[in-house]
Amino acid sequence: MKTLLFFLSTLIALPALALDVASLHPLITETIRDVGGERVKVIEIGRAGMNVHQFEPRTGDVRKMAKAKIVIASGKGLESYLKDLKDSLRKDQTIVEVGRTIPSQKVSKKDQIYACCPHHAVGGIDPHWWHNVRHMERAVRIIQKELTKADPAGKAIYAANAKAARARLVQLDRWVKGQVATIPKKKRHLITAHAAFGYFCKAYGFDATFVQGLSADGEISAAQLAKSIEQIRSEAIPTVFPESTANPKTLRQIAKHSGASVGKPLIADGSVKSYQKMIQSNVTNIVAGLRK
Amino acid sequence: MTSSPVLATLLPLVSLALLGWPLAGVIRQEPAQQQATEESLEDSPIRSADLIIRSAHPFTSVKVTIGETSWTFDPEEDLKEILFPYSADQSSVTLHIEVQWPGSTPETALLLELQPEGLENRSHTIWGEIEIAEEVTFDWNSSE
Ligand SMILES: [Zn+2]
């Protein structure tokens, strides 16, 4: 009898996996894990390394999502397939778009020289909200609320985990501001390939120019090229930044003719496992390039 | 190996199915729930927000009032979910803030931040000791 009681008590003590949640974006996966801890099982649909602008779930992915009570997307139009996905899921499954309540920025004409795809067309809502660290803090709260709604018994655990995650992000935001402060004000002009850094530039006080699309053969006109080169020369911008997922051809041309150097690549689309490492790597590379 | 015509037709189909094809053709069931759109958020006369405080020293109480509604933070609280009236025409909200610190606290700072759905964060720092009351208006009109 004692053995039986002991066995039963160990069963009760085991952390209960109370909730299955599907994630459509790698940064969302990490955040669900941070907030949900051992109580939540994450079904990873969008994985690190994927092309976030072109990914679409396949039948196998939809099958995997069958167990999920909530399906969490990055939102702001990034997952253009959400309407179709909604039709393929059950009525008791909820799709959450984290970006929905995060303040939006539009891709502006001032910043944009070349539009590569609908995600980056002028006037469209920029989906790359995660480059403002404070927005990621909001994402933590949004996910905390959704997990609590789906699993009220886990409320205290989600609240404690979310509080710790938010504190880490406040620290990270302070670190970014401290790093940016080391770049002379007139050199805070970020020139990158695709229009992914609008939220970063606004949050941390940079002018922005995005010169090239995502497509490998994204050619820009000679006039546009000349305009970029002239701007870099007149502002004496020391460095332009390629992206880990975009063709650096145009940027190299611009650098060559303007006398700027090509910096270390930035990570734009958050297709990584660690948000903190992505931000630290981007900021370190930007500071090294612009402080010159 | 002899090849049957049925097999020849089925094989590419089976391999397609194994690879999985994009979502559009998947069998329909009752659709899942989806939240309201960003546009419907913009029209709403009531905004949901996180009201957050960060204090350099422990406080006794923080009371925030918007219009007729007040929220009081206990010493261990740093966040409250609030609803407040918001019109896109006015694009602003006025908060009345009352803070109390224990008598032994030196002059200190308390940061109050509002994170409304769909609107940028707004924050205000209050400097004081023992007891202080202040009014602050957060505005979303200015082109940021
Ligand atoms: Zn992108």
Side-chain angles (χ1 to χ4, degrees):
Chain A
M1 187 64 189
K2 262 189 181 169
T3 334
L4 182 67
L5 275 177
F6 175 74
F7 177 69
L8 284 175
S9 69
T10 52
L11 271 187
I12 292 162
L14 282 175
L17 271 176
L19 192 60
D20 287 271
V21 180
S23 165
L24 301 175
H25 190 288
L27 293 181
I28 299 295
T29 302
E30 191 195 11
T31 312
I32 302 170
R33 288 203 173 115
D34 281 350
V35 179
E38 293 185 355
R39 224 181 143 76
V40 170
K41 184 176 174 234
V42 185
I43 303 161
E44 267 186 274
I45 302 299
R47 288 171 178 277
M50 74 172 187
N51 183 327
V52 305
H53 293 289
Q54 279 160 19
F55 174 81
E56 266 197 36
R58 306 197 152 243
T59 43
D61 294 320
V62 176
R63 225 175 290 132
K64 273 193 236 162
M65 281 185 250
K67 279 186 85 180
K69 205 164 172 184
I70 323 171
V71 175
I72 307 188
S74 172
K76 294 212 185 290
L78 185 68
E79 295 90 354
S80 51
Y81 54 81
L82 274 192
K83 207 182 161 301
D84 285 334
L85 179 64
K86 184 183 153 210
D87 292 341
S88 330
L89 297 175
R90 293 186 314 275
K91 206 184 173 185
D92 62 334
Q93 293 177 290
T94 306
I95 299 177
V96 173
E97 291 178 67
V98 169
R100 190 183 70 92
T101 56
I102 290 173
S104 292
Q105 266 174 244
K106 291 191 170 153
V107 176
S108 90
K109 202 168 187 176
K110 180 173 77 79
D111 303 335
Q112 176 83 345
I113 292 178
Y114 174 83
C116 56
C117 64
H119 282 158
H120 304 106
V122 170
I125 286 179
D126 182 348
H128 308 82
W129 53 261
W130 48 82
H131 286 303
N132 176 346
V133 178
R134 300 304 307 278
H135 286 178
M136 202 44 145
E137 189 193 336
R138 286 186 182 228
V140 167
R141 283 281 295 143
I142 293 160
I143 287 172
Q144 178 201 345
K145 283 186 209 170
E146 293 299 333
L147 298 185
T148 307
K149 222 188 282 171
D151 169 32
K155 185 179 176 182
I157 294 172
Y158 302 141
N161 289 348
K163 193 171 180 177
R166 283 175 40 234
R168 287 197 295 273
L169 290 165
V170 168
Q171 281 302 111
L172 182 61
D173 182 65
R174 273 192 205 136
W175 177 83
V176 174
K177 286 175 178 152
Q179 290 296 306
V180 169
T182 67
I183 304 170
K185 263 195 180 143
K186 59 177 199 292
K187 285 191 178 173
R188 291 180 203 164
H189 187 153
L190 190 65
I191 299 187
T192 63
H194 92 289
F197 290 90
Y199 291 92
F200 177 89
C201 289
K202 184 176 171 190
Y204 302 109
F206 285 79
D207 286 330
T209 304
F210 311 120
V211 292
Q212 186 198 5
L214 269 182
S215 59
D217 56 353
E219 298 290 337
I220 65 170
S221 75
Q224 286 164 338
L225 208 62
K227 193 180 150 200
S228 306
I229 292 165
E230 185 42 44
Q231 190 175 19
I232 294 167
R233 271 198 197 143
S234 68
E235 290 184 34
I237 296 167
T239 308
V240 296
F241 296 91
E243 285 163 37
S244 47
T245 47
N247 187 339
K249 197 175 90 182
T250 312
L251 269 180
R252 283 208 192 112
Q253 264 179 294
I254 289 173
K256 192 177 147 198
H257 294 289
S258 65
S261 52
V262 177
K264 286 192 181 163
L266 307 182
I267 305 159
D269 287 332
S271 195
V272 292
K273 282 193 176 134
S274 163
Y275 176 71
Q276 180 166 331
K277 278 188 188 156
M278 174 184 83
I279 293 291
Q280 284 173 333
S281 157
N282 283 349
V283 171
T284 304
N285 292 346
I286 290 169
V287 169
L290 296 185
R291 207 163 49 183
K292 286 177 185 173
Chain B
M1 200 179 105
T2 51
S3 67
S4 102
V6 181
L7 204 64
T9 328
L10 273 181
L11 262 181
L13 282 179
V14 169
S15 54
L16 248 183
L18 283 177
L19 280 172
W21 52 75
L23 206 57
V26 178
I27 301 161
R28 308 231 150 168
Q29 305 162 351
E30 275 214 79
Q33 305 164 45
Q34 204 171 4
Q35 305 153 303
T37 59
E38 281 192 43
E39 289 74 33
S40 66
L41 186 76
E42 278 172 26
D43 297 337
S44 168
I46 299 281
R47 290 276 169 156
S48 165
D50 281 348
L51 183 62
I52 296 170
I53 48 178
R54 294 195 179 97
S55 182
H57 288 90
F59 57 85
T60 318
S61 86
V62 176
K63 186 178 169 193
V64 180
T65 306
I66 298 175
E68 309 273 280
T69 317
S70 294
W71 299 269
T72 304
F73 288 80
D74 296 330
E76 68 282 356
E77 272 185 305
D78 72 335
L79 186 153
K80 281 197 183 289
E81 271 179 66
I82 69 163
L83 291 172
F84 67 94
Y86 179 83
S87 81
D89 301 336
Q90 270 191 321
S91 306
S92 69
V93 60
T94 299
L95 295 85
H96 184 80
I97 310 152
E98 292 161 68
V99 190
Q100 284 181 355
W101 289 277
S104 54
T105 313
E107 185 176 28
T108 185
L110 182 131
L111 178 100
L112 182 109
E113 185 168 70
L114 192 66
Q115 300 188 352
E117 290 192 341
L119 295 171
E120 298 288 343
N121 297 356
R122 287 288 179 269
S123 65
H124 175 71
T125 303
I126 295 166
W127 289 92
E129 51 190 327
I130 305 173
E131 199 171 334
I132 199 158
E134 264 184 42
E135 205 162 80
V136 60
T137 298
F138 291 145
D139 194 327
W140 288 271
N141 259 322
S142 55
S143 60
E144 295 155 73

